[in-house]
Amino acid sequence: MVSIEFNKIWSSYFNKKHATLVKNGKTAISEALTILNSEHVALPTYTCHRVLQACLEVDCKPYIVDCGLDLQINIDKIPEEVDTVIVPHMFGIQANIKPLQGKFKVIEDCSQCIGLPDLGKYSDIVIASTGPTKWLNAGESKEKGGGILAFNGTSSNFIANPTIAKNLNKMFITISHTLKS
């Protein structure tokens, strides 16, 4: 029952068909890269070190791309050989990912931006860490903090931790009237 409610809430919010809860944000990124069959991945110079770790753990070649003055990945500097771009919306500032759609596979990292409009609309997969240092936190540690994975592929009813899923669902229902969609 928890997985059905979790899927309904988070897939709808992130404009995807399915959503599941994994162990943490790094696991969500690793799963996303695997689902997309990514090999060459662009990520910004300024992001959580776990984004790079996830790329390396699934044997992707990372390409570190400069950020612009808005602290977001500079999409004009993404190398041609890249097949996937990870776009974190740093500090709650929404990155413009629409120009990436169709050119690259896009993983949208929403760990710092719950509440912004159109999340997931232009990406292939959305991830969000819900660890103790994130705005929407429900986990007990960085390793077991929970991570949302929202996607359009084959359904998965896997929920890594039902307690975290219940807490996230409850938080979402409580604050949903304040969120933009």
Side-chain angles (χ1 to χ4, degrees):
M1 191 61 142
V2 171
S3 63
I4 293 169
E5 182 180 26
F6 187 91
N7 180 57
K8 181 180 176 185
I9 288 171
W10 294 103
S11 63
S12 174
Y13 181 68
F14 287 129
N15 294 296
K16 300 294 177 216
K17 292 180 183 173
H18 308 287
T20 192
L21 181 71
V22 295
K23 181 178 165 184
N24 54 43
K26 184 172 84 169
T27 301
I29 293 170
S30 296
E31 291 294 324
L33 291 166
T34 301
I35 290 168
L36 295 173
N37 294 313
S38 301
E39 294 180 14
H40 302 272
V41 181
L43 56 142
T45 53
Y46 191 77
T47 190
C48 176
H49 69 280
R50 291 174 171 264
V51 175
L52 176 59
Q53 287 175 341
C55 291
L56 296 172
E57 285 178 10
V58 295
D59 295 323
C60 289
K61 183 174 182 179
Y63 293 78
I64 311 302
V65 178
D66 283 339
C67 291
L69 295 176
D70 61 356
L71 304 176
Q72 306 305 314
I73 191 168
N74 185 336
I75 62 175
D76 296 328
K77 298 205 176 195
I78 297 172
E80 287 181 19
E81 55 269 30
V82 164
D83 58 48
T84 305
V85 181
I86 299 175
V87 182
H89 301 288
M90 296 301 295
F91 304 107
I93 301 167
Q94 193 159 22
N96 181 14
I97 62 172
K98 190 174 181 179
L100 300 175
Q101 190 180 33
K103 292 172 79 174
F104 304 100
K105 298 174 237 177
V106 179
I107 299 171
E108 189 172 4
D109 182 345
C110 297
S111 301
Q112 295 188 16
C113 69
I114 302 296
L116 295 177
D118 297 326
L119 296 176
K121 191 172 182 179
Y122 304 108
S123 60
D124 297 289
I125 294 180
V126 173
I127 72 96
S129 171
T130 59
T133 62
K134 303 302 182 217
W135 183 81
L136 189 65
N137 61 67
E140 57 200 55
S141 69
K142 288 183 180 182
E143 288 303 315
K144 297 179 183 175
I148 299 169
L149 177 66
F151 53 98
N152 288 326
T154 306
S155 175
S156 171
N157 288 326
F158 175 75
I159 296 291
N161 185 320
T163 302
I164 292 175
K166 284 180 189 176
N167 290 342
L168 287 170
N169 291 347
K170 183 178 178 182
M171 281 191 259
F172 183 84
I173 291 167
T174 303
I175 65 170
S176 62
H177 70 282
T178 66
L179 302 177
K180 298 173 184 175
S181 55

